[in-house]
Amino acid sequence: MRKMGRKWTEKLEFGLFTLPVLICVAVIFYVPFVMTIRYSLTKWNGISKHPKFIGLDNFKQIFTGDTNFSSAAWFTIKYAVLYIVIINVLAILLAVILDMKLKTSAWLRAAFFIPYILSLVIVGFIWKFIFMQGFESLGDSTGWKMFDLSWLGEPGLAFISILAVSIWQSIGFYMVIYIAGLQNVPDDLKEAARVDGAGPVRRFFSITLPLLAPSVTISVFMALTNSIKVFDVILSLTGGGPGGTTYSVAYDIYRDTFQDNLYGYGTAKALILFVAVLIITILQLTIFKRREVEA
């Protein structure tokens, strides 16, 4: 009887301690998610007390007649693919260099990581000033034609500018992840490969890179989710211009919801983005985790 009473007491204590957390999670996540599903099925301007139920009409309009959403989705896909590939390759390269016994390694790590501390909104405004005024001054002083280009006024250059600024701001974060992974690679394996005559490139691809698989999984996961949800750097750097060519899906949702007051329509797009991110991340984690086991 005492054991039974102790078990019930432990269960009661466990429930009392976890109940506030469950309530907070429900209020912050589950309740808004259920409300999102509800409002995605309505025509609502965000002000009226009684949204008009229209069923799946919002989703039909998104997939059949919304050219802005399709172009924003294509922009997001291009941005995500390039961002994931470039930032991971550069981060691994920097991590390998800074993992060497250099006198300035600590200073260089801090220099690459400091931009990540800054908000992307602030970074966007800083680089907007650089692109618009700083490059003009550099062009006048150096005579280089690349500084005379309209980096934020042409669609192709604006896309490159957004991608470059995003990579510059966040590369330090991924570099730190890979440095932590490199420090877990056993030195005796590298030394054994060196004794067997393997060169630096062979040692990297045969030993270091396979053992970096957990770091690669984390970095690709973070890069994937962040790139699909890209918004703040576009808001501060280009504002979606020129001519709406740099709208991402997240920015298109913001524009429909908070600028055009199409809250029901914007909520439907947000739900589609959520499902897309969920499916893609599950597939990515499944594939990369399987490769970790194989490695």
Side-chain angles (χ1 to χ4, degrees), residues 162-277:
I162 293 172
L163 183 64
V165 171
S166 301
I167 292 173
W168 176 85
Q169 187 265 349
S170 56
I171 193 170
F173 171 75
Y174 300 96
M175 179 195 69
V176 169
I177 294 176
Y178 284 119
I179 288 176
L182 287 172
Q183 292 176 350
N184 290 326
V185 177
D187 292 331
D188 54 352
L189 289 178
K190 295 192 238 179
E191 186 62 30
R194 186 181 294 109
V195 171
D196 290 339
V201 177
R202 181 65 182 274
R203 290 199 303 270
F204 175 78
F205 284 102
S206 299
I207 297 176
T208 305
L209 191 58
L211 293 177
L212 275 179
S215 300
V216 173
T217 301
I218 295 172
S219 297
V220 172
F221 169 74
M222 296 297 297
L224 177 63
T225 54
N226 291 334
S227 60
I228 293 178
K229 298 181 295 183
V230 60
F231 167 76
D232 35 14
V233 67
I234 296 175
L235 178 67
S236 57
L237 190 62
T238 64
T245 55
T246 57
Y247 283 154
S248 66
V249 173
Y251 193 90
D252 188 50
I253 293 170
Y254 163 79
R255 187 175 60 87
D256 283 342
T257 306
F258 298 104
Q259 293 183 352
D260 299 336
N261 292 329
L262 301 174
Y263 279 79
Y265 193 65
T267 303
K269 287 186 177 182
L271 188 61
I272 293 172
L273 178 62
F274 169 80
V275 173
V277 172

Side-chain angles (χ1 to χ4, degrees), residues 15 19 38 83 90 136 156 165 178 235 276:
L19 184 62
R38 175 197 169 194
Y83 180 84
L90 292 179
E136 182 179 354
V165 171
Y178 284 119
L235 178 67

Side-chain angles (χ1 to χ4, degrees), residues 13 39 59 87 122 125 164 187 190 193 198 227 248 253 274 287:
E13 291 177 351
Y39 286 127
F59 296 96
I87 201 166
I122 298 174
F125 282 121
D187 292 331
K190 295 192 238 179
S227 60
S248 66
I253 293 170
F274 169 80
I287 294 170

Side-chain angles (χ1 to χ4, degrees), residues 10-240:
E10 292 177 353
K11 290 181 179 179
L12 181 62
E13 291 177 351
F14 179 79
L16 290 175
F17 281 110
T18 56
L19 184 62
V21 178
L22 295 176
I23 293 174
C24 290
V25 171
V27 171
I28 294 172
F29 180 77
Y30 292 110
V31 173
F33 182 72
V34 173
M35 293 176 66
T36 298
I37 297 176
R38 175 197 169 194
Y39 286 127
S40 68
L41 304 174
T42 63
K43 183 178 181 181
W44 185 44
N45 60 3
I47 301 175
S48 62
K49 294 183 180 180
H50 303 288
K52 180 182 178 182
F53 180 79
I54 58 174
L56 299 176
D57 288 352
N58 285 330
F59 296 96
K60 293 178 182 177
Q61 177 64 24
I62 292 171
F63 288 112
T64 58
D66 194 334
T67 56
N68 289 330
F69 183 78
S70 58
S71 61
W74 176 238
F75 172 90
T76 305
I77 291 171
K78 289 191 299 181
Y79 174 88
V81 171
L82 291 174
Y83 180 84
I84 293 168
V85 173
I86 294 174
I87 201 166
N88 279 280
V89 171
L90 292 179
I92 291 176
L93 181 61
L94 287 174
V96 171
I97 295 173
L98 297 181
D99 191 52
M100 300 176 182
K101 307 302 180 181
L102 302 176
K103 294 182 179 179
T104 58
S105 291
W107 292 98
L108 291 173
R109 291 179 189 181
F112 281 109
F113 189 77
I114 284 174
Y116 182 74
I117 301 174
L118 302 175
S119 169
L120 258 176
V121 175
I122 298 174
V123 170
F125 282 121
I126 292 173
W127 275 95
K128 186 175 183 178
F129 172 81
I130 294 173
F131 282 127
M132 297 182 67
Q133 299 186 29
F135 276 20
E136 182 179 354
S137 300
L138 289 173
D140 294 337
S141 59
T142 62
W144 294 357
K145 293 183 179 180
M146 63 171 292
F147 294 120
D148 295 330
L149 298 175
S150 180
W151 287 93
L152 302 180
E154 297 181 12
L157 293 177
F159 176 81
I160 294 173
S161 301
I162 293 172
L163 183 64
V165 171
S166 301
I167 292 173
W168 176 85
Q169 187 265 349
S170 56
I171 193 170
F173 171 75
Y174 300 96
M175 179 195 69
V176 169
I177 294 176
Y178 284 119
I179 288 176
L182 287 172
Q183 292 176 350
N184 290 326
V185 177
D187 292 331
D188 54 352
L189 289 178
K190 295 192 238 179
E191 186 62 30
R194 186 181 294 109
V195 171
D196 290 339
V201 177
R202 181 65 182 274
R203 290 199 303 270
F204 175 78
F205 284 102
S206 299
I207 297 176
T208 305
L209 191 58
L211 293 177
L212 275 179
S215 300
V216 173
T217 301
I218 295 172
S219 297
V220 172
F221 169 74
M222 296 297 297
L224 177 63
T225 54
N226 291 334
S227 60
I228 293 178
K229 298 181 295 183
V230 60
F231 167 76
D232 35 14
V233 67
I234 296 175
L235 178 67
S236 57
L237 190 62
T238 64

